Amino acid sequence: MAELAEADEAELQRLVAAEQQKAQFTAQVHHFMDLCWDKCVEKPGSRLDSRTENCLTSCVDRFIDTTLTITSRFAQIVQKGSQ
């Protein structure tokens, strides 16, 4: 019975860690959205001009590239740790 409790506790810890990572990622997304907005949008209006749209697209693309690089690196670290 103690083994089952230990297994349940390990699973719970894994789930909590996953939820913490999701929350951290969400916070990071909001932070980058704020940065891109502040960098690219001078005055909000009903439409985006082409300069603002290009700036936002570039900013988001950089964010996606950075996120993919970090995620890939994190996966490599986790894989090395489990060996």
Side-chain angles (χ1 to χ4, degrees), residues 25-38 63:
F25 180 76
T26 300
Q28 191 176 29
V29 167
H30 288 291
H31 175 70
F32 280 111
M33 287 174 59
D34 286 343
L35 289 176
C36 290
W37 182 267
D38 291 343
F63 166 69

Side-chain angles (χ1 to χ4, degrees), residues 64-79:
I64 291 170
D65 290 342
T66 301
T67 301
L68 290 174
T69 301
I70 291 169
T71 302
S72 175
R73 182 67 181 130
F74 180 72
Q76 289 173 354
I77 291 169
V78 168
Q79 187 176 21

Side-chain angles (χ1 to χ4, degrees), residues 8-77:
D8 288 342
E9 185 174 333
E11 178 66 13
L12 180 60
Q13 287 176 354
R14 189 189 67 73
L15 291 172
V16 168
E19 288 302 316
Q20 287 173 333
Q21 288 176 345
K22 286 180 193 176
Q24 186 177 19
F25 180 76
T26 300
Q28 191 176 29
V29 167
H30 288 291
H31 175 70
F32 280 111
M33 287 174 59
D34 286 343
L35 289 176
C36 290
W37 182 267
D38 291 343
K39 176 181 169 66
C40 297
V41 180
E42 292 177 11
K43 45 187 168 173
S46 60
R47 303 182 73 161
L48 295 176
D49 61 23
S50 62
R51 182 190 155 281
T52 303
E53 188 174 344
N54 289 336
C55 181
L56 286 169
T57 300
S58 295
C59 188
V60 169
D61 286 346
R62 283 193 309 271
F63 166 69
I64 291 170
D65 290 342
T66 301
T67 301
L68 290 174
T69 301
I70 291 169
T71 302
S72 175
R73 182 67 181 130
F74 180 72
Q76 289 173 354
I77 291 169

